[in-house]
Structures are given as structure tokens and as C-alpha cells.
């Protein structure tokens, strides 16, 4: 979470995000191993309204890039990804960099390419998640906002923020013998 203490700083940071002058890196544990091991997901996204109170159950649906212009409400969305480590063919730890910033973009994109984020009740794979819950007792979304890089609005200093992992992530690293990048 980045907060500005002055109106001018807030305005500058808003513009930096709007013009994609910031770099955001997310880490996720996903079902299966994406192939190729790095690439760009280019599916557009369109919102499907939910049927519950206050829009409960609404979901983003992917739209093939060639169809974005012809689907009402669809917006272009781009996500770069890279596999950092794999657990045979059962799961992988991936780095995700959203180029655009759409609602649920990372979750919908990973599900669309057949590798939903572990613990994602909305876009995920219930059978895969049940295996993780049964085996390890994990029942949370394994998506972590890991890094944010931007230029300070007044000093022009490059700011590189990294968020630490919670206990579930630390346990995941140990169980799968994945290297924690913060250690």
C-alpha cells in the first residue's frame, strides 16, 4: 500500500500508475506448470454481473484478443508471466507482472491459460485446491503483491518496495523446497 502525504504527490503517483510508469510484481502458486515457461497473456476482460446482493458473484471473463473490440464492455488486458520454480507437473511458483490493471486480471488470466491460482474460489480449480487443503491444511489464495517499483514524485529517487510473505507462504516454500526470494 502506497500512501501520499500531499495532494501533489498523490496526483503524481496517480499519473505514474495511469501511464504505466510503475512496475508491479506479484507472486502466485498455480495449478500445473505453464508452458511456455514465460510469456504474455493477451486476453481481454469483460465483467459478468453476479446474481447476489451488491453484485456478489460477479466475475471477469476472458475474451480472445481478436474479439475485444466487438464484445460490449470488454477491455484489453495484458499480463507478463514467468515460471520461477515447478513442482513436477502439479504446481508452479510464478511471477506475474500486470501491464494493464483490470479487476481480477491476474486471477482470470491464469485460469484462462489452464493454471488457476491455488486457493482461488472464484476462478480456481476446486479439485486441485481440495488436494492442497487436505494435504497441507491451506485454504487461502496464494497470490502475493510482492514488489512495487516507482520513481519518487519529488526526489526522482527510484523506490523499490518489497512485501514480506505470511506464514502460509513460508510453509509453502519449505514444503516445496522453493527459494524464498526475500531471504
Amino acid at each position: 500500500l502506497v500512501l501520499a502525504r500531499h495532494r501533489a504527490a498523490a496526483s503524481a503517483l496517480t499519473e505514474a500508475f495511469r501511464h504505466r510508469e510503475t512496475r508491479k510484481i506479484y507472486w502466485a502458486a498455480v495449478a500445473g506448470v505453464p508452458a511456455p515457461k514465460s510469456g504474455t497473456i493477451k486476453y481481454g476482460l469483460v465483467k459478468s454481473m453476479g446474481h447476489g446482493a451488491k453484485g456478489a458473484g460477479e466475475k471477469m471473463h476472458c475474451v480472445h484478443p481478436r474479439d475485444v473490440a466487438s464484445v460490449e464492455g470488454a477491455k484489453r488486458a495484458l499480463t507478463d508471466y514467468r515460471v520461477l520454480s515447478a513442482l513436477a507437473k502439479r504446481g508452479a511458483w510464478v511471477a506475474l507482472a500486470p501491464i494493464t490493471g483490470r479487476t481480477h486480471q491476474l486471477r482470470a488470466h491464469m485460469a484462462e491459460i489452464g493454471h488457476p491460482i491455488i486457493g482461488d474460489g472464484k476462478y480456481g480449480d476446486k479439485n486441485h485446491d481440495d488436494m492442497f487443503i487436505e494435504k497441507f491444511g491451506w485454504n487461502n489464495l496464494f497470490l502475493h503483491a510482492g514488489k512495487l517499483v516507482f520513481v519518487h514524485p519529488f526526489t526522482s529517487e527510484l523506490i523499490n518496495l518489497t512485501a514480506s510473505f505470511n506464514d502460509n507462504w513460508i510453509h509453502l516454500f519449505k514444503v516445496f523446497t522453493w527459494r524464498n526470494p526475500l531471504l
Side-chain angles (χ1 to χ4, degrees):
L1 179 64
V2 175
L3 301 173
R5 292 185 352 182
H6 307 285
R7 186 177 302 240
S11 178
L13 287 169
T14 298
E15 287 302 306
F17 277 97
R18 181 175 292 129
H19 296 295
R20 299 185 182 103
E21 296 166 351
T22 60
R23 181 85 171 142
K24 295 175 273 186
I25 305 290
Y26 292 78
W27 289 304
V30 300
V33 181
K37 296 217 182 220
S38 66
T40 301
I41 304 166
K42 299 178 181 179
Y43 286 95
L45 295 170
V46 64
K47 186 182 293 186
S48 168
M49 298 310 283
H51 301 291
K54 298 182 181 178
E58 80 178 16
K59 192 172 179 178
M60 301 303 283
H61 291 280
C62 288
V63 176
H64 194 280
R66 72 172 174 264
D67 300 328
V68 171
S70 63
V71 173
E72 185 178 342
K75 294 182 180 177
R76 193 175 60 85
L78 299 169
T79 301
D80 288 338
Y81 74 90
R82 182 168 28 117
V83 174
L84 301 173
S85 189
L87 179 64
K89 294 182 180 182
R90 305 256 342 199
W93 178 34
V94 297
L96 303 168
I99 306 305
T100 52
R102 309 288 181 218
T103 301
H104 296 187
Q105 175 178 321
L106 303 177
R107 296 166 65 189
H109 272 174
M110 293 311 293
E112 183 66 21
I113 66 167
H115 301 286
I117 297 170
I118 294 169
D120 190 345
K122 187 175 289 255
Y123 299 94
D125 175 348
K126 182 175 176 5
N127 294 330
H128 200 272
D129 289 347
D130 285 348
M131 185 240 345
F132 272 82
I133 292 167
E134 182 182 313
K135 231 179 168 91
F136 306 108
W138 296 327
N139 191 17
N140 64 302
L141 178 66
F142 277 94
L143 176 64
H144 180 72
K147 291 186 119 188
L148 176 63
V149 180
F150 62 96
V151 174
H152 190 282
F154 300 132
T155 67
S156 298
E157 175 188 0
L158 187 65
I159 306 295
N160 189 342
L161 304 173
T162 304
S164 59
F165 292 102
N166 68 24
D167 290 341
N168 286 333
W169 273 95
I170 301 299
H171 189 223
L172 180 103
F173 289 135
K174 286 179 184 172
V175 169
F176 296 151
T177 64
W178 292 342
R179 187 185 69 79
N180 180 340
L182 304 182
L183 298 179

